[in-house]
Amino acid sequence: MKRNEQLPIPGVQLPHAAPITILAIESSCDDTAAAICRDGKILSNLVANQAVHEKYGGVVPELASRAHLQNIIPVVNEALLAANCELKSIDAFAFTQAPGLIGSLLVGAQVAKSFALVFDKPLIPVHHMQAHVLANLIPENKPSFPFLCHTVSGGHTQIVLCESPSLMKVIGQTLDDAAGEAFDKSAKLLGLPYPGGPLIDKYAKAGDAQKFKFPEPKIKGLDFSFSGLKTAILYFLQDEINKNENFVAENLHDICASIQARIVSILLNKLKKAAAETGITEICIAGGVSANSGLRESFQLLGEQLNWKTFIPPFEYCTDNAAMIAITGYYKYFNKENFAQLSTGVSARAE
Ligand code: KG4
Ligand code: ZN
């Protein structure tokens, strides 16, 4: 397939004669998001973050569901307004069905179902991890199939072989913590608030990544493990703080840069291996951790060295957002088998 050509789903007719407008809702964790997409172009993309979790050092599921309930209608309204669109002109309603926190997923699913029922329009359930990958199909400059996508988020770390928008195979994944958890748990050990990933990124910018050495786990194949790194950081900090109680404050930038460099090298070494094993040279990253400036820079550099065509979604499509749900809903729209009944459920699990 040529670059930028419209991407078909096997067995599905494209393009559709009339423009297709999709309203998408994402509420799998602690971000309440809505987006409007017309014929594969994102017209609006709104996210309401939930500050309520910060003081607990992680997402509290019950509080997340309650905050989604408060935020969801205002966010949908804003998305419609920003796209200059009315609910009655929406052709289909997409929502995140799995994986995620059940209470959070239910709020988005129920709103999407209500709209589908009232306006008698199709309901499209979307897999959150498939959507992270397909965020790479939003920009003009898209990868062509087959491509590899390294999806790195707070809940997942996967290398995905993508044959088409609907045909994806996970060829490597984490055996324990996800890359985002490795960032967030390291940040917590440093006394930084949740979610600490973006803060490690911020402090790392002015730090020396060579100053402290953290171990790289020896995991076979294309799988990952981050739990050993967390333990190594914990023991390292305990030792250093025993010698100097101001160690973290005095070395924060260097510690963050060193932790970030190790997480990035773990991720990219496996990606390099996956590219060599599959022979695929169109390579994307996706998910919240793909917003990390160290990863973005090193990924691009590696791509130049190895003659890859590299793709990184714009920041707003890296962390959880509804634009990625909308683009996935758009590709699924053309295969009516993807439409869901109003009795459809949600699932916490990825399978
Ligand atoms: O994809 P995402 O928004 O939600 C999940 O599906 O999990 O990813 C959230 C994760 C969090 O662990 C957060 O700390 C991490 O992405 N993250 C970052 C950065 N921005 C978000 N990690 C490192 N550097 C960043 N700039
Ligand atoms: Zn996500």
Side-chain angles (χ1 to χ4, degrees):
M1 178 178 288
K2 303 274 182 315
R3 288 163 71 78
N4 297 336
E5 198 176 309
Q6 203 163 22
L7 302 161
I9 304 172
V12 170
Q13 331 81 336
L14 271 181
H16 204 267
I20 297 303
T21 308
I22 291 178
L23 165 61
I25 293 171
E26 150 63 35
S27 68
S28 63
C29 191
D30 61 336
D31 294 313
T32 319
I36 311 284
C37 156
R38 182 169 299 140
D39 279 349
K41 301 255 176 313
I42 302 300
L43 302 185
S44 66
N45 182 37
L46 273 287
V47 184
N49 305 114
Q50 301 180 357
V52 63
H53 307 287
E54 211 176 289
K55 60 175 176 279
Y56 300 100
V59 177
V60 182
E62 174 67 22
L63 296 181
S65 323
R66 292 181 194 199
H68 281 308
L69 267 182
Q70 286 179 323
N71 294 341
I72 193 118
I73 297 299
V75 168
V76 166
N77 268 339
E78 287 274 323
L80 287 163
L81 216 66
N84 198 15
C85 206
E86 286 185 285
L87 263 180
K88 62 179 189 228
S89 62
I90 299 294
D91 297 297
F93 297 93
F95 69 98
T96 306
Q97 185 178 39
L101 301 171
I102 283 291
S104 291
L105 289 166
L106 281 171
V107 176
Q110 216 48 41
V111 171
K113 282 186 193 184
S114 309
F115 289 150
L117 174 66
V118 170
F119 295 98
D120 194 22
K121 290 288 161 59
L123 181 66
I124 306 176
V126 169
H127 194 286
H128 184 86
M129 298 315 293
Q130 180 189 9
H132 268 306
V133 173
L134 296 187
N136 278 287
L137 301 188
I138 297 174
E140 283 287 304
N141 181 30
K142 306 178 205 309
S144 37
F145 294 98
F147 62 81
L148 290 180
C149 184
H150 201 354
T151 317
V152 279
S153 73
H156 294 81
T157 298
Q158 303 179 327
I159 299 179
V160 187
L161 198 169
C162 308
E163 309 258 14
S164 79
S166 57
L167 205 61
M168 298 183 184
K169 187 173 171 210
V170 176
I171 58 171
Q173 61 190 321
T174 184
L175 304 175
D176 40 57
D177 288 349
E181 279 177 292
F183 270 106
D184 296 339
K185 289 180 178 176
S186 305
K188 198 169 179 178
L189 294 174
L190 296 171
L192 300 173
Y194 178 86
L199 292 170
I200 292 200
D201 189 356
K202 181 176 147 196
Y203 292 122
K205 288 196 170 87
D208 174 3
Q210 304 301 320
K211 182 83 176 275
F212 305 109
K213 293 271 178 264
F214 297 110
E216 176 150 5
K218 301 209 169 3
I219 305 294
K220 281 203 189 116
L222 299 176
D223 288 336
F224 301 83
S225 167
F226 288 100
S227 61
L229 175 63
K230 182 189 64 191
T231 311
I233 294 169
L234 173 69
Y235 288 150
F236 164 78
L237 290 175
Q238 281 175 349
D239 278 356
E240 294 298 332
I241 291 166
N242 275 340
K243 290 183 255 169
N244 167 14
E245 62 180 3
N246 295 323
F247 175 76
V248 170
E250 287 169 10
N251 294 279
L252 187 59
H253 294 276
D254 295 339
I255 303 170
C256 287
S258 303
I259 292 173
Q260 178 170 298
R262 177 49 78 215
I263 296 174
V264 168
S265 80
I266 293 171
L267 293 173
L268 292 184
N269 284 341
K270 290 289 173 143
L271 190 55
K272 211 155 78 175
K273 194 167 159 60
E277 283 181 12
T278 58
I280 293 174
T281 53
E282 304 244 348
I283 307 194
C284 313
I285 54 176
V289 178
S290 65
N292 181 267
S293 53
L295 176 62
R296 293 167 87 93
E297 223 170 86
S298 304
F299 171 62
Q300 265 164 337
L301 214 67
L302 185 66
E304 280 164 28
Q305 286 164 5
L306 298 177
N307 270 328
W308 294 346
K309 273 185 194 150
T310 54
F311 302 85
I312 309 179
F315 281 107
E316 59 181 321
Y317 306 139
C318 288
T319 45
D320 285 351
N321 66 88
M324 67 184 195
I325 307 300
I327 193 82
T328 308
Y330 172 68
Y331 282 100
K332 291 183 87 170
Y333 180 89
F334 297 100
N335 186 349
K336 293 196 169 26
E337 283 168 22
N338 288 317
F339 294 171
Q341 308 228 326
L342 288 171
S343 59
T344 195
V346 295
S347 168
R349 294 168 59 87
E351 306 83 48

